Structure formats: C-alpha cells, structure tokens
Amino acid sequence: MVEAILDPTGGRRAVAQGAAVLTPNRLKLAGATIGLLENTKKNAAPFLAELGRLLVERHGAAGVVARTKAAFAMPIPEEQLAELARTCDAVITGVGDCGSCSASAVADGIAFERHGIPAAVICSDAFIVTADAMAGMRDATGYRYVVTPHPVAVLGPDEVRKRAEEALDDVVAILTSVAS
Amino acid sequence: MTAPDPVVAQEAIEYCYEQGWTDGLPVVPASRPLVDEFLARTSRAPEEVIGRVEQLDRECTVEQAAISAAMAGCRPEYFPVVLAAWDALMLDRAARGGGWQSTSGPSPMLVVNGPVRQELGFNSTGGVFGPGFRPNATVPRAIGLMVRNAFGIHPHVLEQATQGLPGRWQICFGENEEESPWEPLSVSAGLGDGVSAVTAMLLRTVEYVDNRHTQDHEQVLWDLADTMSRTGALIFREASYGLVLGPEHAQLLAKNGMSKQDVQAWMIEHVGRTGRDLRRAGKSAGEKHVRGASESTDGDDEFQRFLPSPRHVPVVVAGSRNAAMSMVVRVFGEWSGKAVAVEGTA
C-alpha cells in the first residue's frame, strides 16, 4: 500500500484566496468624527494626529478620538473596536512599520470595515507583502490601504507632518469611496 | 532489510519542497505510520491545540507538531521533548504574540535538563552550539517547521526578519550539569532536581567571550559584563542577557565563592553604559520604553544599568572543559522564568 505524505499545515495554505470586503457605507467627511488608533510604534501617534488635524482643517471633519492599541502585534481587542465603532464614523490606524504590526494593522482595518466602519490603514512600503498576505488570510485579497515610504521611525517632527500630508489624499480616497 | 528505493525517497522529498513545507533543507516526508509512532509517545490527544496565533487565526495541534517533528528528522522518542520545548516557548510573551514575524528574526534557545539528556543523546559538552547531534539539531528544527507550517509564517511574507539570527532553528543543548558547580537551570526555574525539563527563551544575538589566561574571577566577570554592555542590541530601556558559561568559567567563579545568584547580582550591578556612550549611539533617550536619539547632554556622566532583575540574567553551564570560553546570549524580550517538565520521564 502506498502511504500519503501528511500535510503539516492542517490543510491550509499560507495565504488564502478571497475578495476584498469593504463596508459599502463610505464616509462623508464633513461633520464626521475620525478615530485615530495608534499602535505605539515610533512616530505613529504624531503621524495619525497630523492626518486628523488635516481632515478637520481641510475636509470639515468634526473632530478626532485618539486611542492607543496596547499590543501592536495583536489584533485590536473587541472592546476597543466596539468603542471606536460606537464613537467614530471612520478610523485611521497604523503605522504598520514592523513585521507583526503591519499585518495586525491590516487585520484591524478589515475588522472595522466588516463592522460597518470605513477604515484607512497606514503601512510602510517595506511591508507590502506582509500586509497583502494578511489581507489574504482574512479573505480580503486586494484590500486597499495607504502606503507610506519606509522608514517612518527615524523621521523628525517636520518630516512626519510632511509624510502625513502626502498620505492625506489616499486616506480620503479610501474613507470616502469604494472604487479603487 | 532490503535497501530502500532512493528514487522514491527523492521524489517524496521534492514533493515536500513543491508544497512549500521545508525550511530550505530536505525534510523527512511524514507518513501515517511514522507520525503515529510520535503520537504514541504522548498521552495528549492529536487534536489538542498547543499554540495559537490570534492575529493570524492559525493554531498548532499535537498532530501537526508530530508531523513537523517527523519532518525535522526527530526520532519518535524525542517527541515529548519537542512538546515540552514548544510549551516552554509558549510561556514567552513574544512567542505568543508577533515574535515570529519580527524584523529582529529571533531564534529560540532550548535548554534541556535532567536524565533525558543521556537517554536521548543530547550534547551538553563540546560544541553545544554546533552541529553533529541528532536531538540537538532536530528538536529546534521541529519548532521552526511548526512555526512555518502550522502557523503559516513564511520568510518574505508574514515573517519579516531583516537579517535574522544565524542558527535560527538550531540552538538547543543539554546543560552540562555534571560539570556545573550550581543547580540546573530547570531547578532555578522552579522544578525539582533530577526532573527532565526544557527551558526556552528567544535570542537576538550570540557572542563568545574567550578568557582563558587569568585565574582572577573578577577579570572574567568584567570581560563578560563588557560584552553584555554593548549598545548594538540595546533597543529598549531595559535588557536581558543570558550567560551560557563554559564549565571552566563557572568553576572559577564557584571556586571564588560565587553562587549563580551572586553572578547574577554582579551583572545587574555592572552591566550598563554611561549616558555619554548611549548618546553617541543614538540611544540615550526615547519615548516610553524604546530607546532613541537625543542631543541633550544631561545625564552624560550617569551610569545606566541595563538589567532590572535576576530573571533578566539567566545563567546556564554548557560546553566542554577544554578552554575557558563562554557565550553571552541577548534575550529577545524577557525569559518567562519557567521550565516545562518532559512528559513520561523522571
């Protein structure tokens, strides 16, 4: 009798195939409250704060709710997701600039979208493969996120603000429109 | 016994490569009868989940661990050690979180204590960090294959090591209890003497200290502390550095009246750098617990200690008594401080 070679993966590929699932409820920025979920990585908080400021100043957002994700490598806890979903009309999260935090930022973005909240994930271009792989694992291949050049951690305050400004159009496009 | 068909063996090995199941080296294709021999060595159910990465929605079962151990080249009797090593790793916060995906590419260091070392032939003397011994080589490889295949964490995809540590899935050795003047690491970690056990921690780097021309134990301590005080691997405010002492260094220290705890206390006191050194390396300041650059010269003359507690200085004795060499191992995050007993052994 010929024996089969056993599969060590439990029958799962590293990356599943799937389709991007965004909430169809895209956002009108005027009057919206924007959640800023920083992940404790260096420069993440000022990067998101500047995006929030620009959305208020240039797009009429009403204000921001700033929160910190305690464990950058892990998905957002249910309670924190529920709280942000309850108090905000959209969420910006990141910055994904490490192996685990880029993946988990994308997982969070997808979780928000599936909760009916538009979300823009900021991820460094060094981690596109990881971010895309996570989207695949969450059955959301093709998930759109905002790419900022690597590195982020080393930037000074003025450079962070410039970076946020450069990312602004992509953030607005993701939060307000379903089309890619 | 008829010699097996090498062509069939090669085809089976190539099949595993094509599936993306290998770490780059050939694996043993796992068959049902072989994996059943592994499962027979544990009382745990094949479907029991022994690890889960929440962020990836993936888990590892006893069955998957058995398949990986078989593929890694373990013998079935090693399987309880693989399970103990895995359980010990799962006590590590980073290993439960995003550690396997980290840009630092940490390697587990597995330390085996107790009679299981002799029963299975673990090397604890000459060349403990090197090749040549089947259990030392295959047990950590099994862990790597579990991370790759059960958790789905592949290099260049979800695993993002910038460079990684040489020997990432190869660091596993027995403690040289016979030539150590102190209690075994597993006993320091709370288990009874003579209990076979595995202790695990993640490493960022390994650096040898060669000091064989002095009988002054304080000179040896200073040499070890200097290597532990490097700025390169220092990223957080506090650090953890293990010592894998060669028997000669351990015996010199013990001969001068030092217990393992005394060595740890000495290192806590002396391992660190001045604010000036740290400023030059761009590591004098920082937000929260992560170190960063600062222009400020405040605190330049202050000596900053790196090691906050004895648990941040695990000490183990391994290697041969043929030259006075030791290894400083930079621990990634923090050792759990706990050893796990090997099932079915004394």
Side-chain angles (χ1 to χ4, degrees):
Chain A
M1 186 183 115
V2 176
E3 291 288 343
I5 297 178
L6 300 189
D7 177 351
T9 70
R12 294 177 64 172
R13 294 279 160 185
V15 177
Q17 294 302 308
V21 180
L22 300 187
T23 173
N25 308 320
R26 304 323 283 180
L27 184 69
K28 287 191 173 52
L29 283 166
T33 299
I34 310 295
L36 304 175
L37 180 64
E38 69 99 359
N39 63 358
T40 74
K41 297 304 283 190
K42 171 82 172 165
N43 280 336
F47 196 119
L48 297 190
E50 179 66 3
L51 278 171
R53 195 186 71 76
L54 293 170
L55 288 173
V56 169
E57 187 180 289
R58 298 186 190 172
H59 294 271
V64 300
V65 172
R67 291 289 181 270
T68 299
K69 188 162 89 164
F72 62 76
M74 302 301 283
I76 183 171
E78 278 296 327
E79 287 166 23
Q80 199 170 32
L81 186 143
E83 192 245 344
L84 279 166
R86 200 167 55 241
T87 54
C88 301
D89 302 300
V91 171
I92 307 174
T93 182
V95 172
D97 81 333
C98 75
S100 54
C101 64
S102 53
S104 75
V106 164
D108 291 346
I110 292 165
F112 278 113
E113 294 282 355
R114 290 198 166 128
H115 209 82
I117 309 295
V121 175
I122 317 289
C123 186
S124 137
D125 64 10
F127 297 98
I128 286 173
V129 175
T130 300
D132 289 346
M134 176 52 93
M137 289 184 120
R138 288 292 194 265
D139 205 23
T141 299
Y143 176 75
R144 278 191 305 155
Y145 50 90
V146 181
V147 176
T148 191
H150 185 79
V152 173
V154 78
L155 303 178
D158 291 344
E159 294 168 304
V160 171
R161 281 190 287 274
K162 183 164 174 288
R163 222 27 121 62
E165 178 142 15
E166 288 164 359
L168 181 65
D169 286 352
D170 287 346
V171 170
V172 170
I174 286 174
L175 294 183
T176 60
S177 119
V178 177
S180 56
Chain B
M1 179 181 170
T2 317
D5 183 342
V7 176
V8 172
Q10 286 151 15
E11 284 172 1
I13 289 168
E14 286 304 321
Y15 175 85
C16 294
Y17 275 114
E18 284 162 20
Q19 303 304 309
W21 292 342
T22 99
D23 51 15
L25 291 169
V27 291
V28 176
S31 67
R32 187 76 258 167
L34 177 61
V35 170
D36 283 347
E37 284 188 55
F38 281 72
L39 293 171
R41 300 286 178 154
T42 177
S43 63
R44 298 165 82 168
E47 63 275 12
E48 184 191 334
V49 174
I50 56 173
R52 182 174 162 73
V53 270
E54 195 188 338
Q55 69 273 30
L56 305 179
D57 191 24
R58 295 279 294 246
E59 52 196 33
C60 183
T61 62
V62 169
E63 162 107 2
Q64 284 174 302
I67 296 173
S68 286
M71 290 171 69
C74 292
R75 292 181 57 82
E77 56 266 37
Y78 303 171
F79 191 46
V81 178
V82 172
L83 289 174
W86 181 262
D87 287 349
L89 271 170
M90 287 297 119
L91 296 171
D92 189 296
R93 200 172 68 85
R96 284 197 311 276
W100 306 126
Q101 295 164 260
S102 171
T103 48
S104 50
S107 170
M109 179 173 84
L110 310 175
V111 180
V112 182
N113 280 114
V116 78
R117 292 168 305 138
Q118 287 90 348
E119 288 161 17
L120 299 181
F122 277 96
N123 182 25
S124 62
T125 60
V128 287
F129 282 95
F133 298 83
R134 185 168 175 176
N136 300 58
T138 58
V139 168
R141 189 185 185 207
I143 302 293
L145 290 174
M146 288 157 77
V147 169
R148 179 187 180 94
N149 289 323
F151 284 173
I153 299 174
H154 292 198
H156 292 190
V157 192
L158 287 166
E159 190 258 84
Q160 283 287 341
T162 307
Q163 294 181 315
L165 182 64
R168 188 167 185 196
W169 306 112
Q170 299 165 24
I171 303 176
C172 172
F173 54 81
E175 180 158 18
N176 188 345
E177 295 176 26
E178 291 68 26
E179 293 184 289
S180 169
W182 301 315
E183 80 276 11
L185 185 66
S186 55
V187 173
S188 308
L191 296 181
D193 208 359
V195 174
S196 291
V198 185
T199 298
M201 56 195 87
L202 295 180
L203 305 185
R204 287 190 74 134
T205 194
V206 172
E207 183 172 357
Y208 77 91
V209 175
D210 185 335
N211 189 317
R212 52 180 137 176
H213 297 135
T214 179
Q215 295 188 44
D216 181 337
H217 71 290
E218 286 237 329
Q219 289 178 341
V220 172
L221 287 168
W222 277 114
D223 212 9
L224 294 166
D226 185 72
T227 299
M228 294 165 96
S229 299
R230 295 207 189 291
T231 62
L234 191 68
I235 176 166
F236 300 122
R237 183 150 298 285
E238 296 177 336
S240 175
Y241 294 92
L243 278 174
V244 181
L245 294 174
E248 286 187 40
H249 280 160
Q251 288 171 14
L252 175 67
L253 294 165
K255 196 176 77 181
N256 285 277
M258 297 191 84
S259 66
K260 193 193 283 192
Q261 291 71 28
D262 293 334
V263 173
Q264 291 171 315
W266 200 97
M267 292 301 162
I268 288 169
E269 182 67 21
H270 293 95
V271 171
R273 293 295 277 265
T274 63
R276 183 176 291 98
D277 288 345
L278 292 165
R279 180 168 55 80
R280 283 179 182 151
K283 292 181 171 177
S284 61
E287 295 163 11
K288 300 169 189 138
H289 64 296
V290 180
R291 288 183 178 272
S294 168
E295 301 295 312
S296 170
T297 55
D298 292 350
D300 258 12
D301 295 326
E302 189 185 324
F303 183 75
Q304 288 191 31
R305 294 185 178 87
F306 295 163
L307 304 170
S309 84
R311 191 144 62 81
H312 292 77
V313 204
V315 176
V316 56
V317 177
S320 183
R321 201 183 57 76
N322 58 8
M325 290 193 216
S326 291
M327 201 72 93
V328 165
V329 298
R330 168 74 171 89
V331 180
F332 177 85
E334 190 180 331
W335 176 42
S336 70
K338 295 181 184 127
V340 173
V342 177
E343 183 185 1
T345 60

